[in-house]
């Protein structure tokens, strides 16, 4: 049995803690904030209940062996897409149904294009599932012989998602729909790898799901199972440093990987000053923070992909009902690229990041009595935004008046494209990237840690006994991916 400390009670940290405790280890989780869940946040006001982070659950099979007792409900449509020309396309987890809807909305040629794209996306998904998502990936394995030639062709490392869309989809609206999936991994579709074709495949082949009561119930279920398995979760308990020493791997048994020149973990230092000894440390903290701030000497982080985009969120209490909304509805702008220019900035072209003028607006409104008072609706509105900070690719979201002005702007954009809720508001709360950074220690409030790419920081840390889980490490952000990272790490550590 090893003594294992998990830093951070996000979904990746809790899932790792649960697996490791069930494998017989003694596990303690330290979480700096007052509640567990991390970005999977929950907020209640005046009888309205909101998920402040994730609103769409995909790949529910990834959670099955955690035995969480979840009852996911399938969504149809998974997402309603409203285009600037007024056309509407509802996505479906039935491929035949989706193709029929594309034919109805955009014509037979567009439906044929989607069929061809779908065959390609299926190959990409199969290759990713086989070679990337369930095992550790390092530069050596990516470049190595373990790749089948067919898998490499399906993943097409040199091509962008935008390039793939251009090659397969003639209808501009289908290309916009595909571009949007890059942003679900935090990336700019013009730079994101074509391998992200696996994302729409995963969403539409395995469905989009809702958890009654809100997705926050996933964190509750993880916490309850952790308690049953004997995991101790300490909230308001920030880790300020990872302690290392020359200890040999023998101290950690199978759990500690070879100490090597960098030494090995011996424990963690808490904000109280106390040191908690550990044979193994699993960090559910942003990889850049682990390497730069938590280790005794800062390390260079190889394979750090681009930073993910952030999100500007409105939590709206709304009177009455809005039948034109599906559970998830996205309202697209006329010039989608202007949004990417604004969100990501481009110093090479002299383009500074700024809140996009005319962004795609994503509205989530659950039909679930548990999340709103009678005769009302709880809306979660999300637009992509630059992270909080200074420099070309960030925005100072703390600038006085900015958040309120942008809230009013987004409500006006929404009114132009779809429902005008301005005279039906009970309240309109704002969560900026700076708020997310404060709440979860995500640098700049980036949603997914590192943006979708093939090579993210490895799960194996730079000193013996240190492992990384969560959205900034392999295989990436999003609830199923961070849960897969927990499985990869627990498998590598092994049973007690
Ligand atoms: C607005 C928004 C929308 C999203 N939409 C979706 C969606 O629809 N579907 C989906 O699948 N995913 C979505 N995501 C992404 C998803 O929420 C994340 O990928 C996932 O929850 C991240 O889990 P994680 O394990 O990386 O940990 P995080 O949630 O990042 O949690 C890390 C935890 O570590 C704690 N911590 C940090 N530093 C320390 C320290 N020094 N000591 C102790 N504790 C520390 C933090 O307080 C935090 O609780 C969304 C995220 C956001 C913000």
């Amino acid at each position: 049995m090893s003594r294992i400390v998990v830093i951070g009670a996000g979904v990746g940290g809790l899932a790792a803690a649960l697996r490791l405790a069930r494998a017989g280890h003694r596990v303690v989780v330290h979480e700096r904030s007052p509640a567990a869940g991390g970005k999977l946040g929950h907020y209640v006001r005046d009888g309205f209940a909101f998920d402040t982070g994730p609103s769409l659950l995909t790949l529910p099979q990834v959670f099955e062996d955690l035995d969480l007792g979840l009852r996911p409900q399938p969504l149809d449509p998974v997402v309603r897409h409203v285009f600037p020309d007024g056309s509407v396309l509802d996505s479906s987890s039935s491929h035949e149904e989706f193709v029929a809807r594309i034919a109805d909305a955009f014509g037979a040629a567009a439906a044929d294009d989607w069929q061809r794209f779908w065959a390609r996306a299926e190959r990409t998904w199969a290759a990713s599932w086989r070679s990337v998502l369930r095992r550790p990936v390092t530069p050596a394995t990516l470049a190595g012989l373990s790749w089948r030639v067919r898998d490499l062709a399906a993943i097409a490392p040199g091509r962008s998602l935008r390039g793939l869309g251009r090659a397969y989809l003639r209808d501009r609206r289908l290309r916009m729909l595909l571009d949007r999936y890059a942003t679900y991994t935090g990336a700019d579709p013009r730079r994101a790898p074509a391998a992200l074709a696996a994302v729409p495949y995963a969403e539409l082949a395995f469905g989009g799901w809702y958890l009654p009561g809100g997705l926050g119930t996933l964190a509750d279920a993880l916490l309850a199972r952790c308690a049953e398995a004997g995991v101790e979760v300490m909230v308001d308990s920030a880790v300020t440093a990872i302690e290392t020493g020359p200890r040999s791997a023998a101290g950690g048994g199978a759990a500690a990987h070879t100490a090597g020149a960098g030494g090995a973990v011996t424990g963690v230092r808490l904000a109280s000053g106390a040191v908690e000894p550990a044979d193994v440390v699993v960090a559910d903290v942003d990889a850049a923070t682990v390497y730069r701030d938590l280790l005794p000497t800062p390390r260079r982080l190889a394979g750090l992909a681009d930073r993910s985009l952030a999100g500007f969120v409105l939590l709206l209490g709304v009177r009455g009902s809005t039948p034109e909304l599906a559970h998830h509805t996205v309202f697209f702008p006329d010039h989608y690229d202007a949004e990417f220019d604004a969100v990501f900035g481009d110093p090479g072209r002299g383009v500074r990041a700024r809140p996009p003028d005319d962004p795609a607006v994503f509205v989530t409104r659950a039909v679930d009595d548990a999340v709103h008072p009678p005769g009302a609706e709880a809306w979660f509105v999300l637009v992509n935004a630059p992270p909080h900070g200074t420099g070309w690719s960030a925005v100072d979201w703390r600038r006085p008046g900015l958040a309120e002005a942008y809230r009013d702007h987004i409500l006006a954009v929404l009114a132009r494209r779809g429902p005008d809720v301005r005279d039906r508001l009970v309240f309109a709360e704002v969560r900026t990237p700076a708020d997310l950074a404060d709440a979860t220690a995500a640098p700049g409030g980036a949603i997914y840690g590192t943006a979708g790419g093939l090579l993210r920081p490895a799960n194996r840390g730079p000193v013996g006994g240190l492992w990384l889980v969560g959205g900034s490490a392999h295989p990436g952000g999003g609830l199923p991916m961070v849960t897969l990272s927990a499985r990869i790490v627990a498998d590598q550590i092994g049973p007690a």
Side-chain angles (χ1 to χ4, degrees):
M1 176 197 284
S2 297
R3 294 164 305 173
I4 299 183
V5 167
V6 176
I7 313 174
V11 170
L14 290 175
L18 178 55
R19 284 183 184 281
L20 290 165
R22 285 179 178 166
H25 298 288
R26 216 189 79 202
V27 186
V28 181
V29 181
H30 288 280
E31 165 56 50
R32 65 188 266 285
S33 73
K39 295 183 183 106
L40 180 60
H42 197 64
Y43 175 70
V44 177
R45 174 172 167 183
D46 305 339
F48 295 85
F50 301 90
D51 287 314
T52 57
S55 58
L56 179 67
L57 184 69
T58 54
L59 295 175
Q61 65 270 34
V62 164
F63 302 88
E64 259 163 29
D65 72 333
L66 288 174
D67 202 12
L68 299 175
L70 303 174
R71 288 181 302 111
Q73 287 180 353
L75 295 173
D76 183 17
V78 179
V79 176
R80 171 162 296 161
H81 304 88
V82 181
F83 294 93
D85 61 1
S87 55
V88 175
L89 178 64
D90 283 353
S91 60
S92 168
S93 54
S94 154
H95 175 61
E96 292 69 33
E97 177 61 29
F98 190 36
V99 169
R101 289 179 189 173
I102 295 172
D104 277 353
F106 304 154
D112 287 348
D113 286 355
W114 187 260
Q115 296 266 34
R116 283 194 319 123
F117 167 76
W118 190 246
R120 163 64 185 254
E122 184 174 18
R123 289 200 301 279
T124 310
W125 163 258
S128 306
W129 186 246
R130 211 170 19 239
S131 303
V132 181
L133 296 179
R134 287 174 306 157
R135 49 183 233 192
V137 164
T138 63
T141 59
L142 251 199
L145 299 170
S146 51
W147 282 85
R148 303 191 205 180
V149 175
R150 228 177 131 248
D151 286 358
L152 211 53
I155 286 196
R159 197 171 204 184
S160 70
L161 189 69
R162 170 65 62 84
L164 192 72
R166 278 218 190 95
Y168 280 83
L169 306 169
R170 279 167 293 178
D171 192 288
R172 174 174 173 257
R173 293 160 297 188
L174 285 184
R175 293 201 301 272
M176 287 167 93
L177 184 147
L178 179 63
D179 274 355
R180 173 123 187 115
Y181 283 98
T183 68
Y184 290 171
T185 72
D188 179 339
R190 300 170 300 184
R191 289 162 44 91
L196 294 187
V199 181
Y201 188 85
E203 182 186 294
L204 297 177
F206 304 104
W209 304 78
Y210 174 66
L211 297 176
L215 263 61
T217 54
L218 170 61
D220 302 339
L222 274 167
L223 262 184
R225 293 295 181 273
C226 277
E228 284 164 22
V231 176
E232 219 182 319
V233 179
M234 321 279 286
V235 294
D236 289 317
S237 181
V239 168
T240 53
I242 296 169
E243 305 274 314
T244 64
R247 179 175 62 76
S248 80
H257 58 74
T258 315
V265 299
T266 54
V268 298
R269 184 172 291 278
L270 304 175
S272 63
V275 171
E276 172 136 2
D279 308 307
V280 172
V281 171
V282 176
D284 183 29
V285 179
D286 190 90
T289 306
V290 173
Y291 274 67
R292 194 189 49 221
D293 301 335
L294 292 184
L295 284 168
T297 39
R299 306 291 173 120
R300 211 179 65 80
L301 180 52
L304 180 60
D306 292 343
R307 305 296 319 173
S308 146
L309 53 70
F312 181 87
V313 170
L314 300 180
L315 307 175
L316 307 181
V318 176
R319 278 185 296 274
S321 67
T322 323
E324 67 266 39
L325 289 181
H327 187 106
H328 297 292
T329 309
V330 56
F331 296 91
F332 280 102
D334 238 333
H335 301 291
Y336 207 8
D337 277 1
E339 170 174 335
F340 304 128
D341 286 342
V343 168
F344 295 99
D346 184 352
R349 287 193 293 134
V351 179
R352 192 174 267 282
R354 60 194 183 286
D357 271 347
D358 197 23
V361 183
F362 181 68
V363 180
T364 300
R365 183 240 28 193
V367 178
D368 177 352
D369 289 345
V371 302
H372 55 78
E377 295 176 335
W379 287 29
F380 165 88
V381 179
L382 173 66
V383 300
N384 294 325
H388 173 63
T390 52
W392 280 88
S393 53
V395 162
D396 176 7
W397 284 102
R398 293 257 177 260
R399 211 167 68 221
L402 174 61
E404 295 70 22
Y406 198 54
R407 170 197 64 200
D408 295 345
H409 179 71
I410 295 302
L411 289 171
V413 169
L414 195 56
R416 238 181 15 245
R417 301 227 198 103
D420 186 351
V421 279
R422 289 173 293 188
D423 58 357
R424 292 164 51 202
L425 290 175
V426 183
F427 58 82
E429 291 206 19
V430 173
R431 300 283 185 276
T432 69
D435 296 328
L436 188 75
D438 286 353
T440 70
I447 292 186
Y448 296 101
T450 45
L454 283 182
L455 200 52
R456 290 193 168 78
N459 301 111
R460 183 183 286 259
V463 297
L466 175 61
W467 299 88
L468 273 69
V469 294
S472 65
H474 176 74
L479 298 172
M481 294 300 131
V482 303
T483 306
L484 285 170
S485 77
R487 185 191 297 181
I488 292 169
V489 165
D491 286 351
Q492 295 276 302
I493 293 172

